[in-house]
Amino acid sequence: MKTTQFSSSDRRIGALLRHLTAGSDSDHLSSVYASPTSGVTGGSVFAHLVQAPEDPILGVTVAYNKDPSPVKLNLGVGAYRTEEGKPLVLNVVRKAEQQLINDRTRIKEYLPIVGLVEFNKLSAKLILGADSPAIRENRITTVECLSGTGSLRVGGEFLAKHYHQKTIYITQPTWGNHPKIFTLAGLTVKTYRYYDPATRGLNFQGLLEDLGTAPAGSIVLLHACAHNPTGVDPTIQQWEQIRQLMRSKGLMPFFDSAYQGFASGSLDTDAKPIRMFVADGGECLVAQSYAKNMGLYGERVGALSIVCKSADVAGRVESQLKLVIRPMYSSPPIHGASIVAVILRDKNLFNEWTLELKAMADRIISMRKQLFEALRTRGTPGDWSHIIKQIGMFTFTGLNPAQVSFMTKEYHIYMTSDGRISMAGLSSKTVPHLADAIHAVVTKAV
Ligand code: PLA
């Protein structure tokens, strides 16, 4: 056991205390204050901690914010920006918030553990379709969670506690937070082949082989659309083959739907792969996020749905989900879910939302075309057609970490070190700057 050493400053503080508390039991007090665990005078009990690295994605914004350059450009985090480079609050969101503010009957009581019940119902309908057999047969449970991340974490912990297989297969590569979320949830994380750097497309053969050899019952994480970071999605025919293979081996699908509407501009088209799996009557999990498609990033609003075989099972699953949620954060926040519910329940607002969503998706697609054209005009060596072929928020450029770091240093362009750029962060004004940087870096052979 370590003995307590009194430093000279400890002694000085002890003397001061004796002076201030003259006549009381000051010796007792001074020893309490000098205790190494008190944190007042001794060394910190956290002194052994090393400085943790910044998050590979969110840390890009930290570095960007420190850069004083007027031409700096943040293409790191997947956050939508307007042509003026500004964050966007959707018009329908403003209208919904106004409605909420005008309603004087609204209160701020705790939500139930499962969140806002109307939001949950509407979210299930949005992702599975209004005519979904699972909804009709009442064999689905949906709980409001803290955006996509929270939904994945709650789903992961639920599976770790109650599902017979503890291994989850994630795509290689994937969103950097996936392995951390599922490992901390108590699952074992393995990868399956997904992206082929040579073709900058899907390694479909590798995917089928890896899922084909995964132990029966394993959990498989599937990006519903707009795969992050590659922007490469299977075709509908390929999804059908994946579905057949997974169902034949009893693999459990866990969909991450963080970009519904952002890939094609249509909410229904982007949800198709999920609906194919639900239509076959099998079970699956779906994590939904409203961060991107409603621009509700900071509201942290999302949902976890578990499609079961019967209403009876779904009810018991929900009871167990509550046991996962209650000690984690007790119950979810009310504001974001209320905004979503107002928009999804009102036909006019819903239609207006789909138009705004389509406009965001179209702007991203137009950025792809502009960047591709800008590189072509510059005669930049290499095949850049993947910029227009890839889908969703990101382009996986193929630039290596040294090239990325050159572009950051010389051009003040910030992106993740794997060469992923957020197309949603670009505008017509900034495309030439990015194209100049890419041209320079590939012709300089960094
Ligand atoms: N799943 C995928 C595939 C994602 O890309 C993201 C966000 C999430 C889930 C979680 O989003 P949410 O919790 O905010 O709903 N990915 C971002 C942001 C956009 C991030 O890293 O947190 C990204 O830049 O990759």
Side-chain angles (χ1 to χ4, degrees):
M1 219 179 96
K2 237 171 139 186
T3 54
T4 307
Q5 294 287 320
F6 290 96
S7 68
S8 62
S9 68
D10 287 338
R11 276 193 299 274
R12 273 203 305 279
I13 288 171
L16 182 62
L17 266 172
R18 267 193 299 281
H19 175 70
L20 290 173
T21 57
S24 71
D25 186 4
S26 54
D27 279 338
H28 163 72
L29 270 178
S30 70
S31 69
V32 167
Y33 279 80
S35 147
T37 54
S38 72
V40 174
T41 55
S44 170
V45 292
F46 301 116
H48 61 288
L49 293 193
V50 294
Q51 182 71 29
E54 288 285 357
D55 180 82
I57 296 174
L58 302 182
V60 173
T61 303
V62 175
Y64 167 85
N65 287 339
K66 285 186 194 150
D67 186 339
S69 166
V71 298
K72 66 179 177 176
L73 182 56
N74 187 3
L75 305 176
V77 68
Y80 186 83
R81 296 285 177 267
T82 62
E83 263 295 292
E84 289 69 45
K86 297 273 185 301
L88 178 68
V89 179
L90 298 188
N91 220 10
V92 278
V93 167
R94 296 236 189 256
K95 285 186 186 171
E97 285 191 311
Q98 200 55 58
Q99 264 193 35
L100 295 172
I101 287 169
N102 292 345
D103 182 354
R104 302 296 298 175
T105 65
R106 282 184 54 77
I107 49 167
K108 302 278 189 191
E109 290 286 290
Y110 292 130
L111 285 179
I113 297 171
V114 297
L116 195 65
V117 173
E118 187 194 9
F119 162 87
N120 293 340
K121 290 215 161 73
L122 292 165
S123 294
K125 210 168 109 184
L126 182 73
I127 195 74
L128 301 188
D131 55 352
S132 172
I135 296 177
R136 208 172 42 238
E137 292 151 18
N138 209 18
R139 52 184 176 81
I140 173 169
T141 169
T142 305
V143 292
E144 179 195 336
C145 294
L146 278 72
S147 216
T149 307
S151 307
L152 293 165
R153 178 68 186 259
V154 169
E157 295 215 1
F158 169 81
L159 290 169
K161 278 204 177 75
H162 301 292
Y163 185 60
H164 65 277
Q165 260 283 5
K166 309 292 179 207
T167 303
I168 185 163
Y169 283 79
I170 60 175
T171 61
Q172 174 58 41
T174 192
W175 178 47
N177 217 12
H178 278 149
K180 300 173 197 170
I181 291 171
F182 294 119
T183 303
L184 287 174
L187 296 170
T188 301
V189 175
K190 290 195 175 151
T191 59
Y192 61 96
R193 278 173 285 170
Y194 188 85
Y195 178 74
D196 183 358
T199 62
R200 294 199 174 122
L202 187 67
N203 181 355
F204 192 50
Q205 205 46 45
L207 177 151
L208 292 178
E209 276 169 32
D210 289 352
L211 296 189
T213 51
S218 301
I219 309 154
V220 179
L221 186 84
L222 300 159
H223 296 227
C225 68
H227 183 272
N228 180 5
T230 67
V232 174
D233 286 350
T235 63
I236 283 297
Q237 291 74 21
Q238 287 170 331
W239 272 116
E240 177 53 20
Q241 272 180 269
I242 296 169
R243 187 193 66 77
Q244 285 177 17
L245 172 69
M246 285 184 58
R247 289 312 194 195
S248 74
K249 295 205 56 189
L251 301 174
M252 174 62 95
F254 192 163
F255 282 99
D256 181 358
S257 177
Y259 299 97
Q260 188 186 2
F262 247 75
S264 68
S266 153
L267 289 158
D268 289 326
T269 305
D270 289 354
K272 232 183 195 144
I274 299 175
R275 294 178 189 178
M276 287 162 65
F277 276 77
V278 174
D280 68 17
E283 299 179 303
C284 69
L285 288 84
V286 184
Q288 272 171 277
S289 165
Y290 290 96
K292 269 69 74 174
N293 57 15
M294 262 191 211
L296 294 175
Y297 303 88
E299 295 292 351
R300 312 308 295 142
V301 57
L304 170 73
S305 288
I306 305 188
V307 177
C308 306
K309 288 268 168 113
S310 69
D312 175 47
V313 173
R316 278 180 280 142
V317 165
E318 181 161 311
S319 72
Q320 291 294 337
L321 282 172
K322 285 158 72 175
L323 298 190
V324 173
I325 293 167
R326 172 67 167 148
M328 202 192 283
Y329 53 85
S330 192
S331 62
I334 196 167
H335 189 67
S338 304
I339 296 171
V340 175
V342 167
I343 294 170
L344 297 187
R345 85 158 82 99
D346 181 306
K347 214 164 180 268
N348 291 332
L349 287 181
F350 184 88
N351 288 338
E352 204 178 320
W353 174 44
T354 59
L355 296 179
E356 288 193 79
L357 181 54
K358 175 90 169 60
M360 289 194 284
D362 285 350
R363 203 189 77 75
I364 296 172
I365 291 167
S366 128
M367 285 306 110
R368 291 187 178 282
K369 292 185 182 140
Q370 289 185 32
L371 179 60
F372 177 69
E373 276 310 316
L375 292 173
R376 202 162 59 177
T377 331
R378 281 163 182 74
T380 308
D383 176 6
W384 296 94
S385 61
H386 57 287
I387 295 177
I388 41 178
K389 283 189 208 135
Q390 293 174 356
I391 297 157
M393 207 153 200
F394 304 108
T395 290
F396 207 42
T397 58
L399 296 167
N400 64 37
Q403 293 174 315
V404 169
S405 115
F406 174 87
M407 286 169 61
T408 305
K409 215 164 128 231
E410 301 296 325
Y411 286 81
H412 306 273
I413 295 173
Y414 289 78
M415 64 178 96
T416 53
S417 63
D418 58 1
R420 182 191 88 166
I421 57 176
S422 170
M423 298 309 285
L426 264 182
S427 72
S428 307
K429 280 187 225 96
T430 52
V431 162
H433 183 52
L434 175 62
D436 285 345
I438 295 178
H439 186 82
V441 83
V442 297
T443 49
K444 271 191 167 73
V446 179

